[in-house]
Amino acid sequence: MSEYKVIGKDIPRYDAFYKATGSAQYIGDITFPGMLFGKVLRSPHPHAEILNLDVSKAEKLPGVLAVTHAGKCPYKMGLYLVDRPVFATGKVRFMGEPVAAVAAISEDIAQEALDLIEVEYKELDYTDTIEEALNGEKTLVHPDLINYEYLPIYYPKKDTNIFNHFKLRKGDVEEGFKNADLIFENEFRLPQIQHVPMEPHGAIARWEQNGKLTVYSSAQSPFTLRNLIAYAFKLSHKDVRVIVPYVGGGFGGKAGINMEPLVVALSNEIKGKWIRLIFSREEVFLGTTVRQGLRARVKTGVTKAGRIISEEIEYVFDGGAYAEYGTNVVRAAGYTCPGPYDIENIKGDTYGVYTNHLVGGAFRGFGHGELHWAIESQMDIIAHELKMDPAEFRRLNVLKPGSINSMGEEITEHTGNMIECINQVADALDWKNRKKKDKTLPKNIKRGMGLAVLEKAPAMPTNATSAAVIKFNEDATVGLQFSGMEIGQGCITALTQIAAERLKMSFDKIQPSGLPDTDFSPYEWQTVASRITWATGNAIINAVDLAHIKIKEIASQVLEVDPVDLEVDGEKVFIKNDPSKNIPLPKIIMGYQYPDGHTIGGPIQATGTFTPYLTNLDEKTGQGHAAADWTFGCEGAEVEVDTDTGEMKILQLLGAFDLGTVINPSTARGQVIGGIIQGLGSAVLEELKYKDGKLQNASFVDYKILTAADIPDKVESIFVQTPDEGGPFGARAIGEHPMISIPPALANAIFDAIGVRIKDLPLTSENILKHIKDKKKK
């Protein structure tokens, strides 16, 4: 490393954040003179035909300047499967679906106008469960599914509610079961949950008379948002500009396209006016995406020695009324269906099904939190039945160098070290002494430990490209431009550190870019999938290398040497074997001027790009190369359970992750701690509840989330560092991973404490007590 080494340093995250973003605002703080305010009329029914829609009274209300609906805005949208109209067309498919929208000079008038809109509905049968969706006899949510536009790597099924069926086949699963000494079959479930970002979703749009559309949005993915708006509204990309201010949390819920088309549709009705639409918390629940629910069935064949030799898996995701991102969640969970295990024979069938629930989409972990809930519970069940140490059972079966994973990819010594992650967690928990009883505990209080492993790679299409720009200033300071979104993960700091290290320049000489503007910022596919440090970091390295090549080409003419004999650091360009012969960077980065005045070269700036090597997967087997950067990890929990009340006290939670080279330890630790706590909330509290197809808890009154009082006293992060050959300075992803296996680690700890196996989330006191009582009845 250079003398300017910044990789691995705890540079404060907000130093770079405020340096890059200056005085920018959140979407809710942005105002424009004469701005109008939007409101949305939503369906009160989970499934109903729209017999009549009368907006005439709303249109006549003083102060109302625009009213729109499917009759005026007949467009559809979708990232992978184009199945969702901007406004309900002909019928509504979930409670909360937009039916109409208004724009007025005040929010109060806009709300009054909504109240004047008259809608006549005919209620229809609705699909409320995964079983009803699979059966399809009650209703087909999308009878015309097979006629929709969709990418060829997804597989909807005609005349069903199945919007994607991903198949994974490896080896001969039936032969494997024949050779197994024991076979275990279990079913696991988890509910839909909300992302609950602190900042509600919001957008502001203006459509100019000349056809230029500008959208401000609290979005994770400005370029993908631009692409989807252009596609939905039949516009040229040059005519759509997306600007993103601060984003107050995303977790996948602000990826792709969400509520932006609603305000775009309104702006199309009254050109030249800024229109603002900010969701209330109830609208965030009803009108954005949620994490999909899941039914998982796992059948595992093992030898008496504990080696897994065959596994058959069926995942069925409750995708809600529209496929949205859920199409790709099915694919990502499908190719990772057995988790991080070395299994010779695998049969996996992963389905996404339509119901009349809220729209399922991307959520931190992207299907992996769901699949690991099932797999890591199943692994613990098998270990206990075999009377094996659950940690040792995992050490025996996890992927390791030489293993072939579920897709046919070979694991190498550079992929990551799962066993070391297990060892680190076991040591931190004092796992070997977990059976020692604390005689000071009351009789009704039982203590237990659990652990669960995990893996995840960024789920990306094969053309997920990143770009970055390096621009030298006259004084040889550097402007760094990229479009990875800062959503609290600290990417601005980490990416600036990567640039500084490659430039061999001090951190404070680099000015990172502000917030993305698609008219001026370099392209970025999306800020999702824990990919920005890895992918954009590689683009930055490539940009620096190109800039250095340009500097060397100019300097080689001045110093009369071959460019390969030159080196560049943050101060100068010099001859490698004679550093005294050099040119200070300020004298060359705007062009070198000879004593007679003539100048060669010009401003030094360079664009670097990075596209990982990925391939499509085989339709029949799921084999191929869909993952370029794996992160392995293990999480552990220690709990006390009150057998009289079912109350669980969490003594400690911890996670060990092999994230390669740690770019910024404090930021990485923040990601781990935050992810563990979010995983805890999804494990013990969070659940979207339906009755008669209608959501019952669309507010924090009834949808409970963690508070500071619920945080365990001990939450620990541990880093294993096996450098990734393909990552910037050996780094790999860590954003989503810490929340993935907290739920199974807790369930496994509960079983260790009281011998009760819970197969459905959340792990509330009521659920635990129910299982305790059920066990007593047997």
Side-chain angles (χ1 to χ4, degrees):
M1 296 293 182
S2 74
E3 60 182 303
Y4 300 107
K5 175 174 168 55
V6 291
I7 298 298
K9 288 185 67 174
D10 280 326
I11 293 175
R13 175 174 58 178
Y14 291 104
D15 282 4
F17 180 64
Y18 287 120
K19 187 177 180 181
T21 58
S23 59
Q25 301 168 298
Y26 291 100
I27 190 73
D29 298 326
I30 297 173
T31 60
F32 293 101
M35 186 167 68
L36 304 178
F37 299 87
K39 286 283 186 179
V40 181
L41 181 70
R42 301 181 180 279
S43 165
H45 306 295
H47 197 204
E49 183 181 351
I50 300 174
L51 299 178
N52 187 52
L53 173 64
D54 186 352
V55 299
S56 58
K57 294 179 181 177
E59 290 175 325
K60 296 174 183 177
L61 183 69
V64 172
L65 276 74
V67 179
T68 189
H69 47 78
K72 295 181 178 181
C73 179
Y75 302 116
K76 294 175 72 173
M77 56 188 177
L79 184 59
Y80 301 113
L81 170 64
V82 184
D83 63 350
R84 185 176 183 181
V86 176
F87 294 99
T89 305
K91 66 177 182 177
V92 295
R93 291 181 170 89
F94 69 98
M95 175 188 171
E97 182 165 12
V99 175
V102 302
I105 60 175
S106 73
E107 291 190 76
D108 289 342
I109 293 175
Q111 183 59 54
E112 186 180 351
L114 286 191
D115 296 338
L116 293 174
I117 296 175
E118 298 175 358
V119 188
E120 183 182 353
Y121 295 100
K122 177 185 177 182
E123 293 190 54
L124 303 172
D125 284 342
Y126 53 86
T127 297
D128 202 28
T129 67
I130 284 172
E131 287 71 24
E132 290 177 353
L134 288 171
N135 181 279
E137 292 183 1
K138 193 172 183 182
T139 183
L140 292 181
V141 180
H142 291 268
D144 297 326
L145 166 62
I146 203 64
N147 297 320
Y148 292 163
E149 294 180 66
Y150 57 90
L151 296 181
I153 60 172
Y154 304 107
Y155 310 107
K157 300 301 177 184
K158 184 178 181 180
D159 298 328
T160 74
N161 284 312
I162 298 170
F163 59 77
N164 192 18
H165 175 198
F166 183 88
K167 298 178 182 179
L168 186 89
R169 304 290 186 265
K170 179 188 175 189
D172 187 336
V173 72
E174 293 303 326
E175 187 65 23
F177 284 129
K178 288 179 183 178
N179 295 326
D181 295 318
L182 297 163
I183 295 176
F184 299 87
E185 295 186 65
N186 289 286
E187 180 177 297
F188 307 91
R189 291 179 180 262
L190 52 75
Q192 288 186 335
I193 62 175
Q194 235 289 326
H195 302 81
V196 198
M198 286 197 295
E199 175 204 39
H201 295 60
I204 302 170
R206 180 173 68 179
W207 206 322
E208 300 288 0
Q209 296 290 347
N210 65 7
K212 183 73 172 185
L213 172 66
T214 301
V215 179
Y216 285 81
S217 173
S218 58
Q220 291 179 227
S221 311
F223 283 92
T224 292
L225 178 57
R226 180 187 68 171
N227 182 48
L228 293 172
I229 289 174
Y231 186 86
F233 288 86
K234 315 303 180 188
L235 301 172
S236 169
H237 288 68
K238 70 177 177 58
D239 293 328
V240 182
R241 179 185 182 189
V242 174
I243 304 170
V244 180
Y246 287 164
V247 177
F251 313 114
K254 294 178 182 176
I257 194 167
N258 272 282
M259 45 75 71
E260 295 86 2
L262 300 171
V263 72
V264 170
L266 283 169
S267 66
N268 191 33
E269 294 299 307
I270 179 166
K271 300 286 176 59
K273 285 283 190 178
W274 288 106
I275 303 177
R276 182 176 104 154
L277 178 61
I278 307 294
F279 278 3
S280 67
R281 182 58 61 178
E282 182 181 11
E283 286 182 299
V284 172
F285 274 89
L286 292 173
T288 66
T289 59
V290 300
R291 188 192 74 181
Q292 298 172 316
L294 175 70
R295 186 192 78 185
R297 291 175 174 171
V298 186
K299 177 182 178 182
T300 309
V302 299
T303 66
K304 291 178 181 178
R307 190 71 176 91
I308 303 171
I309 59 174
S310 195
E311 193 157 65
E312 184 173 355
I313 301 162
E314 180 192 78
Y315 296 139
V316 187
F317 284 91
D318 176 357
Y322 297 100
E324 183 49 43
Y325 247 112
T327 314
N328 200 36
V329 172
V330 171
R331 179 176 181 267
Y335 63 66
T336 323
C337 64
Y341 290 96
D342 183 359
I343 305 172
E344 184 177 355
N345 306 293
I346 307 169
K347 179 184 178 184
D349 288 283
T350 304
Y351 302 89
V353 296
Y354 289 121
T355 65
N356 292 112
H357 289 166
L358 300 178
V359 178
F363 187 95
R364 189 177 190 176
F366 209 70
H368 290 65
E370 297 91 298
L371 77 88
H372 282 86
W373 162 244
I375 292 298
E376 284 307 285
S377 296
Q378 175 84 342
M379 295 302 108
D380 228 58
I381 290 169
I382 296 170
H384 284 287
E385 289 294 323
L386 293 174
K387 295 182 169 48
M388 285 185 68
D389 179 335
E392 188 56 40
F393 177 77
R394 289 173 170 84
R395 291 188 188 101
L396 176 64
N397 286 289
V398 294
L399 295 167
K400 47 187 75 74
S403 297
I404 303 298
N405 71 8
S406 53
M407 289 179 287
E409 298 176 338
E410 182 178 358
I411 304 302
T412 73
E413 61 182 2
H414 302 289
T415 309
N417 192 334
M418 178 69 80
I419 290 178
E420 183 59 23
C421 292
I422 296 171
N423 293 342
Q424 290 287 338
V425 168
D427 290 346
L429 284 172
D430 193 20
W431 181 262
K432 63 184 179 182
N433 293 316
R434 71 189 185 284
K435 293 300 182 183
K436 291 184 178 180
K437 293 185 178 180
D438 187 341
K439 296 181 180 179
T440 65
L441 291 175
K443 186 178 179 181
N444 61 312
I445 303 297
K446 307 296 181 184
R447 185 173 293 173
M449 293 181 184
L451 53 78
V453 298
L454 63 101
E455 69 170 2
K456 187 183 183 298
M460 304 176 288
T462 57
N463 62 347
T465 299
S466 300
V469 175
I470 291 288
K471 297 174 65 176
F472 276 85
N473 301 313
E474 291 87 342
D475 60 354
T477 57
V478 170
L480 171 64
Q481 297 179 356
F482 53 83
S483 295
M485 282 303 307
E486 177 60 71
I487 51 177
Q489 80 279 41
C491 76
I492 290 177
T493 305
L495 293 175
T496 306
Q497 287 178 259
I498 290 169
E501 188 73 28
R502 197 66 167 190
L503 286 162
K504 301 177 183 177
M505 180 179 288
S506 63
F507 182 88
D508 59 8
K509 286 189 175 183
I510 300 172
Q511 173 65 53
S513 60
L515 301 162
D517 178 333
T518 58
D519 270 9
F520 302 103
S521 302
Y523 180 83
E524 180 63 63
W525 173 64
Q526 292 199 68
T527 303
V528 296
S530 308
R531 61 180 293 278
I532 291 299
T533 297
W534 175 74
T536 311
N538 276 326
I540 289 171
I541 285 174
N542 293 337
V544 171
D545 290 349
L546 287 172
H548 280 176
I549 287 172
K550 293 182 178 183
I551 292 171
K552 291 176 183 178
E553 286 175 347
I554 301 170
S556 69
Q557 299 176 57
V558 179
L559 298 174
E560 298 181 340
V561 296
D562 194 288
V564 299
D565 296 324
L566 295 173
E567 188 61 79
V568 183
D569 63 21
E571 305 291 337
K572 60 189 178 300
V573 53
F574 57 91
I575 298 175
K576 291 178 183 178
N577 59 12
D578 189 359
S580 65
K581 295 180 178 179
N582 64 75
I583 304 171
L585 288 185
K587 290 189 176 183
I588 200 169
I589 42 81
M590 293 296 163
Y592 182 82
Q593 187 176 44
Y594 284 91
D596 67 358
H598 87 275
T599 303
I600 60 172
I604 299 298
Q605 52 186 291
T607 298
T609 62
F610 175 74
T611 305
Y613 173 74
L614 300 170
T615 69
N616 291 333
L617 300 175
D618 185 88
E619 179 181 355
K620 296 180 180 179
T621 67
Q623 299 298 292
H625 189 68
D629 171 48
W630 292 100
T631 299
F632 293 152
C634 180
E635 298 190 291
E638 183 178 17
V639 305
E640 288 179 352
V641 180
D642 187 329
T643 55
D644 291 340
T645 65
E647 183 178 358
M648 175 173 59
K649 179 180 180 181
I650 300 168
L651 303 179
Q652 59 176 323
L653 293 173
L654 52 94
F657 305 92
D658 192 340
L659 64 163
T661 302
V662 180
I663 301 295
N664 186 311
S666 63
T667 298
R669 183 177 183 274
Q671 283 289 283
V672 172
I673 301 303
I676 286 174
I677 299 307
Q678 190 171 18
L680 174 60
S682 73
V684 302
L685 282 178
E686 296 184 50
E687 177 183 14
L688 290 168
K689 297 181 179 181
Y690 294 87
K691 182 179 179 181
D692 299 327
K694 298 180 179 181
L695 184 67
Q696 300 297 297
N697 55 336
S699 75
F700 290 147
V701 174
D702 299 305
Y703 186 93
K704 301 301 182 184
I705 61 173
L706 295 178
T707 68
D710 300 307
I711 309 304
D713 291 336
K714 184 178 180 181
V715 183
E716 185 178 348
S717 62
I718 303 168
F719 299 138
V720 176
Q721 298 192 57
T722 306
D724 179 358
E725 283 187 319
F729 299 103
R732 58 170 67 90
I734 190 57
E736 299 166 281
H737 307 76
M739 81 167 292
I740 286 174
S741 279
I742 290 297
L746 285 166
N748 296 340
I750 292 169
F751 181 85
D752 187 55
I754 61 176
V756 168
R757 176 61 60 184
I758 301 177
K759 301 177 183 177
D760 59 313
L761 290 176
L763 304 170
T764 61
S765 298
E766 294 83 357
N767 196 14
I768 295 171
L769 185 60
K770 173 183 176 297
H771 281 81
I772 291 172
K773 290 179 178 179
D774 289 345
K775 182 183 178 183
K776 289 179 179 179
K777 293 176 183 177
K778 294 180 180 179

